[in-house]
Amino acid sequence: MASLEGASGKQCGRDFGLCYSPEFIALGTVIRDFYNPDFLLIGESDARSGETLSDIYKRTCKNSPRVARMNFVNAEITKLALNTYITTKISYANMLARLCEKLPGADVSFVTGALGLDSRIGPKYLKGAVSYGGPCFPRDNRAFAALALRTGAFSDLAETTDRFNRAQVRSLGGLVKEYHSGAGAIGILGLAYKPDTDVVEESFGLLLAQELASCDLPVIAYDPSVKPGRVLADCSSLRLAGSARECIEASDIIVLATPWEEFLQLPADDWVPQSFPRTVIDCWRVMGHLEGLPGLQYVRLGQGSTTRGVGVPSCGSR
């Protein structure tokens, strides 16, 4: 604002106006989210500018979203706080999932399903699966913590959420090592941080591949949006398969890291092992049809633990 005023010789709020309006859109559903936002957030230098932008949005949106108008400082805090709250909710559900895995008969889907019925909580982002990733959630969570720290406010909750999220990769990496027999590679289905996008930034699948590769374990991965030959930062040793079937055939343990529809539609024959027993770790509890297939051990994350596989010594955390 000061730069614009200095260059133009005009005063913001009197001679011209500024608005700051972050959009809460998700990769894979950008157009839908743009036209149908839950609400509109507008930081404004003056009421006239805020009203102008609000009118533009209302003519553009296909629903009738509520509008929150405020000054720039409050708008930035709100933007960071919203994503930080979601990361905290995701981490809480994951904490419940890890607890349920330790108790026979426990199932996080029932627990979070009941919690989500309370209007004070709601069901969104209350899944209980793997760590959050992508370009927004980790960044904004850390930005909120940094802002609080710089101003002398407490940032313990945001910092703990970030640490817990990182620990999920190490925890699930340890589980994979327990089940890995060494007869084949460790297969990871899904490197994008969510379906319907090719973004792998801080994705669970890629971080898990890095964790396992750092222990000199053989890792092969497949993702519909990540083609063989693509260079993935910090995991150059990762072998990329040309298809889900190739990834499965080469592995004695498969981790469903990203629930792409393509994986859910694979025929049962693609999963049945031909040369050595195989374990499937379903991080999202969406492939129950695999249970009971011959030679296949099916493990759902978030459910009471059963018999572990052949152990592989841990190489420690990175």
Side-chain angles (χ1 to χ4, degrees), residues 176-251:
V176 170
K177 295 168 193 172
E178 287 185 45
Y179 279 106
H180 179 46
S181 68
I186 298 172
I188 298 177
L189 289 179
L191 293 174
Y193 84 99
K194 59 182 289 188
D196 302 318
T197 178
D198 63 354
V199 177
V200 300
E201 184 177 342
E202 297 207 39
S203 73
F204 168 73
L206 183 58
L207 293 177
L208 179 62
Q210 293 172 356
E211 173 78 15
L212 297 171
S214 70
C215 297
D216 295 323
L217 294 171
V219 183
I220 183 172
Y222 171 74
D223 190 288
S225 68
V226 181
K227 303 304 179 186
R230 177 174 171 181
V231 178
L232 298 172
D234 301 323
C235 203
S236 57
S237 63
L238 174 63
R239 175 186 166 195
L240 292 177
S243 66
R245 185 171 185 175
E246 177 187 342
C247 180
I248 294 171
E249 288 180 346
S251 308

Side-chain angles (χ1 to χ4, degrees), residues 72-84:
F72 295 135
V73 174
N74 288 329
E76 178 63 8
I77 294 174
T78 300
K79 188 259 186 182
L80 294 177
L82 190 147
N83 280 343
T84 301

Side-chain angles (χ1 to χ4, degrees), residues 60-244:
T60 303
C61 294
K62 296 181 179 180
N63 58 352
S64 299
R66 288 174 290 184
V67 182
R69 292 169 52 189
M70 57 197 71
N71 63 30
F72 295 135
V73 174
N74 288 329
E76 178 63 8
I77 294 174
T78 300
K79 188 259 186 182
L80 294 177
L82 190 147
N83 280 343
T84 301
Y85 187 89
I86 293 174
T87 61
T88 304
K89 191 173 183 180
I90 293 171
S91 296
Y92 191 86
N94 287 342
M95 179 184 70
L96 291 173
R98 303 294 86 82
L99 172 64
C100 287
E101 289 161 7
K102 302 297 184 180
L103 299 172
D107 188 327
V108 72
S109 294
F110 285 96
V111 177
T112 56
L115 289 176
L117 297 177
D118 192 311
S119 62
R120 296 169 297 177
I121 299 174
K124 288 186 177 181
Y125 293 99
L126 203 62
K127 177 69 175 178
V130 299
S131 57
Y132 59 80
C136 297
F137 284 163
R139 178 200 64 203
D140 283 359
N141 191 84
R142 293 166 196 162
F144 184 93
L147 176 62
L149 187 64
R150 190 168 69 243
T151 58
F154 286 108
S155 59
D156 302 50
L157 184 57
E159 292 178 28
T160 300
T161 296
D162 185 58
R163 286 197 302 272
F164 180 84
N165 192 62
R166 294 169 183 263
Q168 296 307 290
V169 177
R170 294 191 295 272
S171 173
L172 295 177
L175 179 65
V176 170
K177 295 168 193 172
E178 287 185 45
Y179 279 106
H180 179 46
S181 68
I186 298 172
I188 298 177
L189 289 179
L191 293 174
Y193 84 99
K194 59 182 289 188
D196 302 318
T197 178
D198 63 354
V199 177
V200 300
E201 184 177 342
E202 297 207 39
S203 73
F204 168 73
L206 183 58
L207 293 177
L208 179 62
Q210 293 172 356
E211 173 78 15
L212 297 171
S214 70
C215 297
D216 295 323
L217 294 171
V219 183
I220 183 172
Y222 171 74
D223 190 288
S225 68
V226 181
K227 303 304 179 186
R230 177 174 171 181
V231 178
L232 298 172
D234 301 323
C235 203
S236 57
S237 63
L238 174 63
R239 175 186 166 195
L240 292 177
S243 66

